[in-house]
Amino acid sequence: MTKSFQQAFNALKEHTCLSYAKIATMGGLCNVDHIIVKATAPNSSPLSDKYVHQLLRLFAISPPCCRAFSLGFARRFGKTRSWRVALKCLLLLHRLLRSSPEDSLFRTELLINRSNGSISLYPCNFRDVSSSDPESFTVFIRSYARLLDEISNEDNHRARPGPPDNSPEEIGRVLEVLEQIQSLIDRVIECKPTGVTTRNFLIQTAMKHIIRDSFVCYTVFKNDIVFLLENMFQMPTYQCCISAFSVYKKAALQADQLYEFYQWCKLMGVCGCYEYPFVDRIPLLQIQALESFINGMWEIKDDDGDHQSPSSSPLSSTAEKVGDEGEEERQPLIKLNDDDDDDSWEDILEASVINFSSHGSDEKDEWRIQVYNPFDGKYVSSDPNYPWGL
């Protein structure tokens, strides 16, 4: 009885707000609040594009409308207990974020209201009371709100006009962007509907916007991860190398999750199959080989004593311990007899070939690896004297 009363009271409240907004519009009192209420009507109709265009025109003509929208959105989303109203609020915000540049006043006002607590997307306190399966709708709304919370921070997943350079500042920036994109992809995967929400029309409409944004994120991610792999062996510090390897290792695990998520979306008919990008999956064997190699590479450089020891890093579990300095004397790569002073160039070439073929992996001063890059089908060499694409 209590649940039925809550559903009836919530429906009456939402329809009353909608009726008031329509009357105010006919009386010439249309403002941002009325547009928000009409756009987020508690029905099964999808969000109309005309409300998005109306708000964008108001933002361009009257900048104070940006603050009015932030406050109106906070009231509408914070007070509703209807999943339809909450979902349309998030869809409206998503569409406006996609259409607004990064330095727009709309994003600035949104960040200000998030910082002072007026808008709470994460943690989200929404709880549905208007459906027969409130738990499934509540989980989806909260997951979608958390995704928009990260998107509204900064749109770093947009493509850049040109390729990055090899400066330490650019490598650090790419690392930061890749970590943010990986976090966004995690949030996208968390938005997978469950229960009765999987077949709901409004939920599938929201999933199309979410999935299409993930396509852009993953395209940028693939380009940047290639750049990261090419520069992994020339990181200025050991900590940068660890961070780069952590991103690459997570990319291997995340690729499997994203592949399964995209396959599920295809089966549910979310977007066309031709729209989905090809997910490049990284073999676990390559991750293990790269991990061992990075440990060994930095153990060799430990003679300088100006970097963090690999034994205290996350990679030390698979690395062999290095002996004290000077414990082994370096041997020449080409060994010739001392009494052979007049060796011909054929003898020297033969000795070098034999020695190179028998040169084991225990020599600490000769580390070279060719890592297969699944994103462009090339091999990446650790030797700076060799080209990257072999």
Side-chain angles (χ1 to χ4, degrees):
M1 182 65 183
T2 304
K3 184 177 180 180
S4 301
F5 175 77
Q6 287 180 346
Q7 292 178 351
F9 177 76
N10 183 74
L12 179 62
K13 182 178 68 173
E14 297 296 345
H15 283 288
T16 302
C17 292
L18 181 60
S19 300
Y20 172 76
K22 290 181 178 179
I23 294 173
T25 302
M26 289 186 295
L29 300 176
C30 182
N31 58 18
V32 175
D33 285 338
H34 298 150
I35 296 177
I36 294 175
V37 172
K38 289 193 298 182
T40 59
N43 52 38
S44 299
S45 301
L47 177 67
S48 177
D49 293 340
K50 69 177 183 179
Y51 298 118
V52 179
H53 298 324
Q54 287 179 5
L55 289 172
L56 290 175
R57 283 196 297 267
L58 285 176
F59 295 162
I61 297 172
S62 178
C65 290
C66 297
R67 183 172 187 273
F69 173 84
S70 298
L71 298 176
F73 174 86
R75 286 192 296 267
R76 184 66 167 161
F77 182 73
K79 293 182 178 180
T80 186
R81 292 296 177 265
S82 171
W83 70 267
R84 293 181 177 88
V85 174
L87 180 60
K88 289 184 178 181
C89 285
L90 296 177
L91 275 171
L92 181 62
L93 179 62
H94 195 172
R95 296 284 301 277
L96 292 174
L97 285 172
R98 181 187 295 174
S99 304
S100 302
E102 296 182 22
D103 57 348
S104 63
L105 182 61
F106 169 72
R107 287 179 176 269
T108 303
E109 290 291 342
L110 192 64
L111 288 174
I112 292 174
N113 284 275
R114 286 176 59 244
S115 61
N116 60 25
S118 299
I119 298 179
S120 179
L121 295 175
Y122 180 74
C124 178
N125 299 320
F126 171 79
R127 182 169 294 278
D128 177 57
V129 297
S130 63
S131 64
S132 58
D133 188 10
E135 188 64 28
S136 298
F137 287 102
T138 299
V139 170
F140 181 81
I141 294 297
R142 291 183 177 182
S143 300
Y144 192 13
R146 185 178 182 183
L147 171 64
L148 293 182
D149 181 74
E150 291 199 15
I151 292 178
S152 61
N153 287 330
E154 190 173 357
D155 244 351
N156 283 325
H157 59 276
R158 295 185 178 180
R160 293 181 303 277
D165 52 41
N166 295 333
S167 63
E169 295 78 10
E170 184 67 12
I171 293 176
R173 191 198 61 80
V174 170
L175 272 174
E176 182 181 357
V177 171
L178 285 174
E179 291 174 353
Q180 293 179 359
I181 294 179
Q182 286 183 326
S183 179
L184 283 175
I185 293 177
D186 285 337
R187 302 290 83 77
V188 168
I189 296 175
E190 289 177 0
C191 289
K192 181 180 178 180
T194 58
V196 298
T197 60
T198 56
R199 296 291 182 180
N200 187 273
F201 175 71
L202 284 179
I203 298 293
Q204 289 187 348
T205 302
M207 286 298 299
K208 289 181 180 180
H209 294 285
I210 296 173
I211 292 298
R212 288 193 173 110
D213 276 2
S214 74
F215 296 163
V216 180
C217 288
Y218 187 67
T219 302
V220 177
F221 180 81
K222 287 202 300 183
N223 296 332
D224 284 350
I225 200 69
V226 171
F227 169 79
L228 184 68
L229 182 61
E230 291 176 347
N231 292 272
M232 188 177 295
F233 305 113
Q234 298 188 18
M235 292 291 175
T237 64
Y238 179 73
Q239 191 59 42
C240 290
C241 191
I242 292 297
S243 301
F245 176 78
S246 299
V247 169
Y248 194 70
K249 184 177 181 179
K250 183 177 180 180
L253 301 176
Q254 199 175 56
D256 296 335
Q257 301 173 355
L258 189 63
Y259 175 81
E260 295 177 359
F261 178 69
Y262 280 170
Q263 290 298 115
W264 180 89
C265 291
K266 291 178 184 179
L267 292 176
M268 300 303 298
V270 180
C271 300
C273 293
Y274 62 91
E275 298 182 59
Y276 287 83
F278 179 78
V279 179
D280 298 300
R281 308 173 80 171
I282 305 173
L284 181 60
L285 184 62
Q286 176 178 330
I287 297 295
Q288 295 173 348
L290 186 61
E291 181 179 7
S292 300
F293 170 73
I294 292 176
N295 281 325
M297 180 181 68
W298 283 95
E299 284 173 352
I300 294 172
K301 295 184 179 181
D302 192 44
D303 294 337
D304 299 335
D306 57 350
H307 69 281
Q308 178 186 356
S309 174
S311 60
S312 60
S313 71
L315 300 179
S316 61
S317 58
T318 59
E320 297 178 359
K321 295 184 179 180
V322 185
D324 298 334
E325 296 183 7
E327 184 175 339
E328 294 182 2
E329 183 179 358
R330 294 190 176 184
Q331 301 294 332
L333 290 179
I334 303 176
K335 297 181 179 180
L336 299 175
N337 296 329
D338 295 336
D339 52 350
D340 295 335
D341 296 333
D342 299 327
D343 291 295
S344 63
W345 67 268
E346 291 91 347
D347 297 330
I348 297 177
L349 178 61
E350 181 180 2
S352 63
V353 171
I354 295 175
N355 187 272
F356 181 79
S357 61
S358 61
H359 187 59
S361 59
D362 55 341
E363 291 288 340
K364 302 174 184 177
D365 55 350
E366 285 296 323
W367 285 87
R368 183 183 304 160
I369 188 172
Q370 291 182 1
V371 181
Y372 180 71
N373 182 0
F375 296 97
D376 58 3
K378 297 180 180 180
Y379 283 87
V380 176
S381 173
S382 64
D383 194 333
N385 298 322
Y386 281 65
W388 288 113
L390 299 179

